Amino acid sequence: MGPAAFPPAGFRRLLNAVTRRTGLHYYVDKADLLEQVVGARMALHGCRTCHDYLALLSDGARGDREWRELESAITIGETFFFRYAEQFAALERTIMPRLIRRAAATRHLRVWSIGCSNGAEPYSIAILLTRLLDEAGLNAADWHIEILGTDISTRALEQARLAEFSAWTLRDIVPAQRAAWFTPVSARIWRLHECYRRMVRFRYGNVLDLLRPDGGPAGPFDLILCRNVLIYFAQAQAQALVRAMASRLAPEGWILLGHSEPVSNFGPCLETVRLPGTLAFRAPDSDGGRQDACAALPVLPRRRPAARALVPVPAGDSAPIAAEIRRVADGGQVARAMRMCRDHLVRHPMDTRIHFLSAVLAWGEGCLLQAEESFRRVIYLARDHVMARCYLARLLEDAGGWVEANRMRQQMIDLVRRCPPDMVLPDGDGMTAGGLLRLARQAGEGPALRHDARVTS
């Protein structure tokens, strides 16, 4: 599509329509990305200009169907099982055990995963809950557990219901866990066991419905997860959405947000609770008091971004192309994503971000030598890159290179000890320096789930 397809006035109308319907403020300053996605949809329908496409979107049932397709195309659905190890550690050790104890009489728990994408997050909750109930001597089959996953992408929901996942989505799960929780469908695809699938149901949902009268799922929920959703919204809108979520919490229910969401404090409707490596938000109990050990934890302001980045930003910000590569990989087109990495690196051979992403993709596809080479290139280009050493140590360990793996892991620990504990590590999916140190220490203690396969031994 050329410039004539997107005259300024028409593109402004299109952008306003998209942000009004989806709330995705993300595209306001990323016109090229939106034009690329919309251009593909216009070509499919033979629309010559965005004015024609806007007319299609306004065309009754036909327009509704196209809106669903467009929403699927513009949604960024990067996710994987047990993403953000520090938050899953908080769920395992604090949040879920307290919810289970509180629900002992009714044996009923409700969880809502907002922006569930391919289902990895709600299915991870199902796995965790099943194990915690079993450890408590309880049978998950005797409990009424409702885990709801909603998303604006109908394509992602179809994939979630299928419950079949590639090595890319299972990249942080060790082989023993994969064998325990999944059944192989092919050499590179695994299907989640039925006992976990039946705990989760999926439905189409736009988070903006929460701001409309009687919009969104009815509460109360014991736990709401809305991670890496609100970063695409304007701050005022994100604040309003969290308050709407709070109104759907059960007494002493919890909300977990992403590390980079544009939100802060929500008193008095939510208490901010600091747990190791993360912040959580909790509904006050009915009398306004705090009834458990979390009461002693201080209410903290939102953590400010680290003053410096650990890894120098490569020449030319590659965040947009990295996001697009992740979106393609999450859509099941891993080979195409790897080609995109190679094409970009031909033009930008010093781009550590894309070298790192290329390494993780190659590892997920079983191209171990290529993955090792790419991780080593990242370390060569950015000598203080913590996560490259973290991944490389695990890769070497799996290949039997114990001595070098231990050396690489020790280098990782030495580097991360020099960082502020609350510093978010580049390419760490929200992992902080302090959180990685805790996980490294716990690796020797044999944690039950070993959430972060990058640091387990």
Side-chain angles (χ1 to χ4, degrees), residues 104-253:
T106 63
R107 293 183 296 179
H108 187 187
L109 285 171
R110 298 188 75 213
V111 178
W112 181 15
S113 169
I114 301 175
C116 67
S117 187
N118 65 1
E121 179 176 89
Y123 285 139
S124 295
I125 294 294
I127 292 170
L128 175 59
L129 259 176
T130 299
R131 187 186 62 75
L132 290 176
L133 287 169
D134 181 66
E135 287 184 351
L138 304 168
N139 187 347
D142 296 333
W143 282 57
H144 182 47
I145 297 173
E146 299 178 70
I147 304 175
L148 172 65
T150 60
D151 202 279
I152 200 172
S153 170
T154 53
R155 295 180 201 168
L157 292 171
E158 289 171 5
Q159 186 180 0
R161 293 185 182 102
L162 190 61
E164 294 183 356
F165 300 94
S166 67
W168 168 249
T169 308
L170 305 183
R171 59 190 180 269
D172 269 9
I173 293 180
V174 298
Q177 294 170 339
R178 193 173 63 202
W181 302 334
F182 297 84
T183 299
V185 175
S186 66
R188 307 301 300 168
I189 301 294
W190 291 266
R191 189 169 199 232
L192 187 67
H193 290 332
E194 170 64 23
C195 63
Y196 305 119
R197 297 203 310 271
R198 63 172 171 252
M199 297 170 68
V200 185
R201 62 187 177 91
F202 298 96
R203 81 183 210 193
Y204 173 87
N206 185 337
V207 69
L208 285 184
D209 291 341
L210 285 170
L211 303 183
R212 303 182 179 108
D214 301 320
F221 290 95
D222 301 288
L223 171 65
I224 297 177
L225 301 108
C226 185
R227 306 188 305 164
N228 286 343
V229 174
L230 302 179
I231 55 175
Y232 303 108
F233 291 76
Q235 182 168 2
Q237 202 167 43
Q239 294 270 2
L241 286 168
V242 174
R243 294 185 187 280
M245 293 174 209
S247 71
R248 286 164 171 78
L249 281 181
E252 298 183 82

Side-chain angles (χ1 to χ4, degrees), residues 46-84:
C47 298
R48 297 180 61 186
T49 72
C50 57
H51 292 288
D52 299 332
Y53 189 63
L54 280 164
L56 168 62
L57 292 173
S58 302
D59 184 15
R62 185 166 170 248
D64 287 341
R65 287 193 299 270
E66 180 56 24
W67 265 118
R68 296 291 178 96
E69 291 297 322
L70 179 60
E71 288 166 347
S72 294
I74 64 176
T75 301
I76 299 171
E78 203 280 332
T79 189
F80 49 90
F81 275 76
F82 297 104
R83 187 180 187 189
Y84 296 136

Side-chain angles (χ1 to χ4, degrees), residues 32-48:
D32 290 347
L33 282 178
L34 186 61
E35 285 184 12
Q36 181 181 351
V37 175
V38 172
R41 298 303 306 171
M42 288 168 58
L44 182 66
H45 291 287
C47 298
R48 297 180 61 186

